[in-house]
């Protein structure tokens, strides 16, 4: 009966296993699986994070900063409508290169470009116009908040540098003042954003993470990533012919590269 | 970042394309070889080329002389005879039309020609030749068009003759919309005592004429909806667009294309994308996106993707779907996010109330959502004054009063430091809404309320006097936020509503920068399953964000929009 039919089967299999064609088929399958895994591994390595994003509001000076860092020369710039990227040699001795990516700051474009590049970000340079800061503090804080509560930014925790640009103008606010104002504004923002009505599909609007610690006032030291403030001037104090005042920025870039 | 369609220069599109092509061709080498660093370092001496292209574009736009109208002798009409226009098909209703047409053409020959149809019919009289001609497809088409026009003229004339006497004796009193004349008193059904206490209601001043309207109808009879369109024999000849014959590139070429697609070096062309875009457009329309917006959306996606090189192992469908999804997410996340709480805090600091106005057509849920929003504001610790500026609809003030009572019961003054969190400011019915709003705002300023929510009457976007009244209310009171309340069930109407509301607000405002709609409230979201297209239509037209979404009739049914979830529901099969 059943046992009888089961008996001849393993005996039939054994010669089949020894058959070279079956062995070769198995080997071929193993080889394919191995190459597939290798390919995925290589792809994973290729997409490691080595980009430094230049973010900020419109007219903050990102594109000029980009040009200055890469070429050292002054260029007339227009409002960016697409991203520009280039490899930046952070320091002369190390072979550490980062890809500097300049994203447009316009309200209708900034979020979609951020979506595209945030996964590859090793560090973020948030450029702030120190002259117009007093007027724009709410918009600056809103954009910064959107960057900070983004899920992949929270997960990867790229180093954050807030570059207070346009320091060559006399009316520019200092980095200390900008830091204080931003902390106050972000403190208010996290209250209002988390108090907003819940989202349609039930997830909270402010993201699962609350910025900073709940009981205390917001402070940049409460964030999971390292935050630094730096003063710089893309135009440079000596006008267009002279050098830009970006040494602090370059030092920071060399550090994180 | 991109130009709006307000520029009436006709050559701008072409100029931009030409400049784009010329620049790319001239500096093609630099682009391909040098990369970004090269771009930064090299100089682009394009000014002369640009001026030349600009001059050419301007010349071309001037060169086109206005087209001269064809004289009658040149037109095709004069070549035809009356007889050949007559239908030769033997259908019964056509025969009826035939005889009518002859009568019509004779009658219309004498009248002054206004419409094109009339003009062509009148002009047929002088052509005298009687031989029949072969009817070509175009002539059949023209013939049908003329029939159509004539039939309309027919109906107009017929209805015109018996009506004149009836119109004089109709006696339908026009409803007076202008408030501030004697009828206003008559419409004021409220009294100073509390509404709702039965014993205190005196005999109301009730003018039966105003309330009843048409006196001459039979009492008790329900009339049918009138509309004059002769639908018996009316068929619009739908011109079938010639079906695009899909030419299959035979054999080797097709194989090669597929292989190229697999490898990832194939660039997208219009022909590849068209079938996919058609399907996506139908899908969007099935999901309740307004038809013209779906068309525009697919057009812009096609333009963006044209010439793009596809990646490895990606199909045309997936690329197009991806691009469409990105475009939809971008539409739903427009520029400035409206953060009501933040702005209320700002206004608090300046010791003035934050004024929000709700406008929309009839029955979309303005009062319900106003109550929900006041509940949300109270939960966040702000005191609210509700201004009842709906002075027309029966029961509007009572509705708001009931909401106020309920909200005060939910949040009694004891739990908020002794101050009433919500109060109603009303002046009864029949008064001027803009005046009530102004008084409510100054009352709120004196009493220290944080927010003023102004409820207006629902009005159709075509009703010019009401739109003027709304525009006046908004222009005079300068609210901080103007919210348009729209229901998610609306389809193509959304486009019309929003356009006309915005236009009315812009036209009647005296200021340099008129106050337009600042945000949208999407209501009745629980009644649509996943046909969420109305959200797209509304944000596309105004480019203003959807601030709140209403999902029910209780106070907690207020949500904020999650763009990704809505787009996922939209793209779902």
């Amino acid at each position: 009966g059943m046992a009888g039919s089961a008996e001849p089967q393993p005996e039939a299999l054994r010669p089949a296993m020894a058959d070279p064609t079956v062995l070769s088929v198995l080997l071929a399958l193993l080889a394919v699986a191995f190459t597939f895994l290798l390919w995925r591994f290589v792809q994973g390595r290729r997409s490691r994070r080595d980009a430094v994003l230049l973010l900020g509001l419109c007219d903050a000076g990102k594109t000029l900063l980009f040009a200055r860092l890469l070429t050292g020369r002054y260029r007339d710039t227009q409002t960016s409508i697409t991203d520009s990227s280039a490899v930046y040699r952070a320091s002369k001795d190390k072979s550490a290169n980062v890809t500097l990516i300049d994203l447009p700051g316009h309200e209708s474009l900034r979020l979609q470009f951020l979506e595209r590049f945030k996964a590859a970000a090793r560090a973020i340079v948030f450029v702030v116009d120190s002259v117009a800061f007093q007027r724009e503090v709410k918009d600056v804080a809103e954009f910064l908040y959107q960057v900070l509560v983004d899920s992949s930014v929270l997960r990867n925790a790229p180093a954050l540098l807030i570059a207070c640009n346009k320091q060559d103008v006399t009316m520019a606010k200092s980095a200390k003042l900008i830091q204080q104002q931003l902390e106050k504004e972000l403190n208010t923002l996290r209250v209002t954003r988390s108090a907003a009505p819940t989202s349609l599909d039930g997830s909270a609007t402010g993201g699962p993470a609350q910025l900073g610690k709940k009981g205390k006032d917001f402070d940049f030291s409460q964030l999971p990533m390292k935050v630094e403030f730096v003063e710089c001037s893309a135009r440079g104090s000596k006008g267009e012919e002279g050098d830009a005042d970006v040494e602090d920025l370059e030092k920071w870039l060399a550090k994180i590269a | 970042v991109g130009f709006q369609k307000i520029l009436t220069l006709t050559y701008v599109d072409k100029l931009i394309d030409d400049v784009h092509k010329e620049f790319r061709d001239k500096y093609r080498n630099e682009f391909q070889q040098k990369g970004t660093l090269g771009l930064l370092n090299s100089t682009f001496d394009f000014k002369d080329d640009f001026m030349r292209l600009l001059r050419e574009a301007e010349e071309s736009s001037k060169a086109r002389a206005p087209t001269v109208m064809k004289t009658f002798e040149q037109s095709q009409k004069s070549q035809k005879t009356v007889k050949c226009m007559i239908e030769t098909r033997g259908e019964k209703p056509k025969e009826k039309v035939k005889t009518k047409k002859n009568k019509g053409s004779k009658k219309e020959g004498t009248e002054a020609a206004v419409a094109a149809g009339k003009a062509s019919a009148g002009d047929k009289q002088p052509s005298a030749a009687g031989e029949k001609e072969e009817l070509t497809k175009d002539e059949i088409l023209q013939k049908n068009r003329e029939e159509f026009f004539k039939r309309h003229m027919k109906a107009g004339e017929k209805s015109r003759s018996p009506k004149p006497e009836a119109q004089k004796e109709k006696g339908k009193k026009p409803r007076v919309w202008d408030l501030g004349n004697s009828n206003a008193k008559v419409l004021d059904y409220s009294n100073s005592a509390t509404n709702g206490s039965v014993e205190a209601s005196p005999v109301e001043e009730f003018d039966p004429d105003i309330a009843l309207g048409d006196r001459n109808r039979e009492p008790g009879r329900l009339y049918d909806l009138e509309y004059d369109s002769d639908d018996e024999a009316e068929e619009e000849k739908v011109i079938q667009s010639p079906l695009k014959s899909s030419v299959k590139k035979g054999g080797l070429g097709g194989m090669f294309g597929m292989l190229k697609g697999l490898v990832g070096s194939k660039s997208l062309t219009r022909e590849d994308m068209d079938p996919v875009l058609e399907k996506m457009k139908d899908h969007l329309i099935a999901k309740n996106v307004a038809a013209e917006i779906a068309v525009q959306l697919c057009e812009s996606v096609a333009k963006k993707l044209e010439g793009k090189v596809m990646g490895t192992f990606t199909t045309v469908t997936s690329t197009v779907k991806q691009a469409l999804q990105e475009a939809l997410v971008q539409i739903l996340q427009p520029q400035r996010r409206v953060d009501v709480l933040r702005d209320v805090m700002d206004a608090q600091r300046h010791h003035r109330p934050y004024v929000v106005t709700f406008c929309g057509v009839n029955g979309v849920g303005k009062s319900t959502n106003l109550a929900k929003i006041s509940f949300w504001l109270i939960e966040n610790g702000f005191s609210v004054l509700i201004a009842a500026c709906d002075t027309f609809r029966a029961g509007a003030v009572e509705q708001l009063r009931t909401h106020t009572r309920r909200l005060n019961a939910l949040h009694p003054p004891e739990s908020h430091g002794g101050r009433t969190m919500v109060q109603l400011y009303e002046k009864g019915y029949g008064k001027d809404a803009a005046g009530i709003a102004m008084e409510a705002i100054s009352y709120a300023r004196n009493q220290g309320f944080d927010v003023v929510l102004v409820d207006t009457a629902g009005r159709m976007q075509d009703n010019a006097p009401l739109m003027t009244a709304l525009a006046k209310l908004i222009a005079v009171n300068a609210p901080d936020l103007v919210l348009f309340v729209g229901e998610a069930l609306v389809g193509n109407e959304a486009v019309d509503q929003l356009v006309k509301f915005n236009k009315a607000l812009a036209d009647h405002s005296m200021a340099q920068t008129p106050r337009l709609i600042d945000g949208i409230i999407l209501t009745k979201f629980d009644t649509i399953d996943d046909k969420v297209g109305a959200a797209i239509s509304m944000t596309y037209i105004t480019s203003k964000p959807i601030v709140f979404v209403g999902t029910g009739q209780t106070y907690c049914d207020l949500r904020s929009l999650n763009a990704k979830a809505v787009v996922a529901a939209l793209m779902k099969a």
Side-chain angles (χ1 to χ4, degrees):
Chain A
M2 276 297 282
S5 65
E7 277 287 284
Q9 274 186 354
E11 288 173 332
L13 268 175
R14 255 182 259 121
M17 290 282 280
D19 194 4
T21 47
V22 177
L23 262 178
S24 51
V25 165
L26 280 174
L27 265 177
L29 280 173
L30 269 174
V32 166
F34 183 65
T35 28
F36 184 68
L37 282 171
L38 195 65
W39 180 56
R40 289 296 284 272
F41 177 65
V42 167
Q43 273 215 335
R45 277 207 59 206
R46 234 187 291 142
S47 67
R48 75 175 187 279
R49 301 169 3 230
D50 61 350
V52 175
L53 306 181
L54 283 174
L55 299 173
L57 291 188
C58 229
D59 283 340
K62 304 180 287 298
T63 310
L64 183 55
L65 215 50
F66 181 73
R68 282 288 203 185
L69 283 171
L70 287 175
T71 66
R73 294 207 301 223
Y74 177 85
R75 310 291 300 178
D76 276 321
T77 58
Q78 300 295 322
T79 312
S80 319
I81 55 173
T82 185
D83 59 297
S84 329
S85 58
V87 174
Y88 173 68
R89 188 169 290 283
S91 57
K92 296 188 183 39
D93 48 337
K94 283 199 285 186
S95 65
N97 291 340
V98 286
T99 317
L100 263 188
I101 308 185
D102 170 35
L103 301 179
H106 197 269
E107 295 141 343
S108 49
L109 298 172
R110 58 165 85 129
L111 283 178
Q112 80 183 57
F113 279 98
L114 180 63
E115 278 299 297
R116 222 184 285 179
F117 289 102
K118 61 186 182 182
R122 182 197 291 195
I124 295 179
V125 177
F126 194 89
V127 186
V128 173
D129 183 345
S130 318
V131 180
F133 180 72
Q134 208 58 25
R135 213 181 340 123
E136 294 177 343
V137 59
K138 284 208 287 196
D139 299 326
V140 173
E142 185 185 339
F143 188 24
L144 189 57
Y145 183 85
Q146 278 174 329
V147 172
L148 288 175
V149 294
D150 189 82
S151 48
S152 48
V153 167
L154 282 173
R155 191 181 35 216
N156 298 337
L160 178 63
L161 177 75
I162 304 202
C164 308
N165 199 13
K166 306 198 186 177
Q167 291 290 326
D168 51 299
V169 183
T170 42
M171 298 291 291
K173 305 281 178 293
S174 69
K176 203 100 196 57
L177 182 67
I178 291 181
Q179 179 171 357
Q180 281 171 358
Q181 296 251 0
L182 277 179
E183 282 173 351
K184 233 186 342 173
E185 187 64 29
L186 283 170
N187 196 24
T188 331
L189 264 185
R190 63 178 182 162
V191 168
T192 59
R193 288 297 160 91
S194 58
T198 53
S199 181
L200 270 179
D201 58 352
S203 65
T205 38
Q210 168 84 301
L211 255 197
K213 301 199 175 49
K214 265 213 177 121
K216 306 203 291 208
D217 276 344
F218 176 74
D219 207 318
F220 276 109
S221 55
Q222 296 166 6
L223 289 174
M225 65 270 280
K226 280 184 4 103
V227 183
E228 278 186 41
F229 278 79
V230 137
E231 293 185 1
C232 66
S233 163
R235 186 185 286 256
S237 38
K238 302 184 208 65
E240 299 177 11
E241 298 304 316
D243 284 330
D245 191 7
V246 289
E247 284 115 24
D248 297 330
L249 186 55
E250 286 172 341
K251 267 189 252 161
W252 184 84
L253 280 172
K255 206 168 35 164
I256 55 116
Chain B
V1 188
F3 64 97
Q4 307 245 342
K5 287 202 171 99
I6 47 173
L7 279 176
T8 50
L9 301 166
T10 50
Y11 58 78
V12 176
D13 268 328
K14 188 169 172 308
L15 176 64
I16 289 183
D17 277 337
D18 286 342
V19 169
H20 185 152
K21 279 204 201 80
E22 176 105 6
F23 191 85
R24 186 190 61 194
D25 292 336
K26 184 168 176 183
Y27 295 106
R28 184 186 290 273
N29 287 334
E30 268 106 357
F31 289 157
Q32 282 174 346
Q33 292 166 12
K34 293 193 195 161
T36 318
L37 272 177
L39 288 177
L40 283 176
N41 282 324
S42 52
T43 53
F44 294 94
D45 197 6
F46 199 66
K47 185 163 178 156
D48 297 328
D49 296 296
F50 177 73
M51 295 312 289
R52 175 176 51 88
L53 283 170
L54 181 61
R55 250 179 290 124
E56 280 171 18
E58 283 173 355
E59 294 293 311
S60 69
S61 74
K62 276 188 241 145
R64 260 180 285 124
T67 52
V68 183
M69 259 175 57
K70 285 194 284 192
T71 65
F72 173 67
E73 282 73 24
Q74 291 173 348
S75 77
Q76 278 186 326
K77 229 16 70 56
S78 64
Q79 318 298 334
K80 296 193 192 152
T81 68
V82 179
K83 245 203 180 155
C84 78
M85 303 284 193
I86 297 175
E87 276 245 287
T88 49
R89 281 187 246 148
E91 293 168 54
K92 286 226 176 69
K94 293 290 179 226
E95 284 169 24
K96 188 169 63 168
V97 172
K98 214 179 6 173
T99 52
K100 269 197 206 161
K101 196 175 30 191
N102 285 331
K103 276 191 247 157
S105 53
K106 276 191 225 126
K107 222 195 278 184
E108 285 154 5
T110 53
E111 285 176 11
V114 177
K118 273 188 178 167
S120 65
D123 285 335
K124 266 205 305 232
Q125 296 302 322
S127 60
E131 60 283 353
K132 248 200 216 165
E133 290 176 7
E134 286 292 285
L135 298 171
T136 65
K137 213 172 199 161
D138 284 332
E139 288 172 286
I140 293 178
L141 188 61
Q142 257 174 332
K143 220 170 16 98
N144 287 327
R145 271 204 212 113
E146 282 145 43
E147 273 171 40
F148 182 73
F149 284 135
K150 273 191 231 109
R151 234 176 281 129
H152 267 264
M153 242 73 75
K154 272 287 89 313
E157 280 166 311
K158 265 199 292 195
S159 58
R160 249 180 278 142
S161 32
K163 276 293 159 77
E165 305 91 33
Q167 265 183 0
K168 289 202 182 79
E169 65 163 24
K170 216 166 174 190
K172 179 175 182 174
K173 286 216 181 68
R175 184 172 290 281
V176 178
W177 291 112
D178 289 340
L179 305 166
N181 59 3
S182 60
N183 278 327
K185 243 192 305 195
V186 176
L187 288 174
D188 185 10
Y189 296 130
S190 67
N191 51 6
S192 51
T194 56
N195 298 324
S197 56
V198 178
E199 54 275 65
S201 54
V203 174
E204 293 167 340
E205 295 174 20
F206 176 59
D207 185 359
D209 283 336
I210 301 278
L212 262 188
D214 183 4
R215 267 314 185 98
N216 291 324
R217 53 201 290 282
E218 283 176 34
R221 179 169 162 194
L222 199 61
Y223 281 87
D224 284 333
L225 186 63
E226 294 175 10
Y227 58 99
D228 42 29
S229 68
D230 24 21
D231 38 2
E232 319 99 21
E234 178 179 311
E235 331 108 58
E236 293 255 11
K237 238 309 192 285
V238 177
I239 304 160
Q240 293 288 344
S241 59
L243 287 166
K244 280 184 265 194
S245 52
S246 48
V247 177
K248 291 234 157 63
K249 298 193 201 88
L252 204 58
M255 264 282 278
F256 193 52
M258 191 184 75
L259 283 176
K260 262 176 95 176
L262 277 180
V263 165
S265 68
K266 186 164 172 202
S267 66
L268 281 175
T269 59
R270 255 307 164 90
E271 292 83 36
D272 298 332
M273 292 194 286
D274 267 341
V276 183
L277 279 176
E278 274 296 311
K279 243 189 341 148
M280 295 307 324
K281 187 185 76 159
D282 291 333
H283 175 81
L284 283 178
I285 293 182
K287 292 269 182 172
N288 205 22
V289 179
E292 42 196 63
I293 293 185
V295 166
Q296 282 180 27
L297 209 51
C298 291
E299 263 303 306
S300 72
V301 167
K303 251 189 244 165
K304 195 167 87 156
L305 285 181
E306 213 165 311
K308 179 166 171 209
V309 174
M310 295 198 294
T312 48
F313 293 117
T314 53
T315 59
V316 180
T317 320
S318 64
T319 322
V320 170
K321 267 200 184 151
Q322 174 92 12
L324 192 62
Q325 199 155 2
E326 278 175 12
L328 285 171
V329 171
Q330 207 204 338
I331 287 177
L332 281 180
Q333 286 175 334
Q335 296 145 359
R336 288 227 69 220
R337 194 168 156 166
V338 175
D339 194 353
V340 179
L341 289 177
R342 183 77 191 80
D343 296 334
V344 174
M345 281 191 202
D346 250 357
Q348 236 182 356
R349 218 177 308 148
H350 294 132
H351 300 289
R352 62 177 178 81
Y354 187 78
V355 182
V356 183
T357 309
F358 294 79
C359 61
V361 302
N362 313 66
V364 289
K366 288 183 291 298
S367 306
T368 312
N369 282 280
L370 184 145
K372 287 189 222 165
I373 290 175
S374 39
F375 179 72
W376 172 64
L377 286 169
I378 295 171
E379 297 257 282
N380 280 304
F382 297 114
S383 56
V384 176
L385 179 73
I386 301 179
C389 294
D390 183 353
T391 53
F392 172 67
R393 202 195 78 197
V397 177
E398 283 73 21
Q399 177 183 19
L400 290 175
R401 194 188 304 272
T402 311
H403 278 304
T404 312
R405 226 177 278 143
R406 280 196 206 157
L407 287 171
N408 273 325
L410 284 172
H411 283 270
E414 298 82 47
S415 59
H416 287 272
R419 62 174 182 157
T420 352
M421 291 311 278
V422 61
Q423 204 175 322
L424 176 68
Y425 188 90
E426 54 94 4
K427 288 280 186 219
Y429 294 92
K431 310 265 183 340
D432 175 31
I436 297 182
M438 190 151 22
E439 291 168 26
I441 294 172
S442 47
Y443 178 78
R445 196 177 301 127
N446 294 336
Q447 302 289 321
F449 281 98
D450 300 317
V451 188
V452 179
L453 299 178
V454 177
D455 185 26
T456 61
R459 60 205 72 210
M460 290 303 292
Q461 69 269 20
D462 293 325
N463 193 331
L466 289 185
M467 295 306 296
T468 317
L470 176 69
K472 176 180 149 217
L473 188 152
I474 289 177
V476 161
N477 293 303
D480 294 295
L481 195 65
V482 177
L483 290 177
F484 177 83
V485 185
E487 53 185 10
L489 300 155
V490 74
N492 292 320
E493 260 294 279
V495 173
D496 195 48
Q497 281 176 13
L498 277 166
V499 162
K500 294 228 174 92
F501 264 81
N502 262 334
K503 192 155 167 300
L505 288 182
D507 286 343
H508 300 289
S509 140
M510 293 296 130
Q512 278 281 45
T513 48
R515 292 304 313 279
L516 296 177
I517 290 172
D518 295 318
I520 299 170
I521 300 181
L522 195 63
T523 62
K524 307 187 189 168
F525 205 78
D526 51 325
T527 57
I528 51 171
D529 275 330
D530 55 350
K531 294 196 177 359
V532 294
I536 299 281
S537 318
M538 290 192 199
T539 40
Y540 189 89
I541 284 289
T542 52
S543 72
K544 293 290 189 308
I546 291 183
V547 186
F548 296 112
V549 179
T551 52
Q553 303 216 21
T554 70
Y555 291 129
C556 297
D557 289 323
L558 190 67
R559 301 265 179 276
S560 65
L561 188 77
N562 182 348
K564 293 210 178 70
V566 169
V567 171
L570 202 58
M571 298 295 286
K572 193 171 65 168

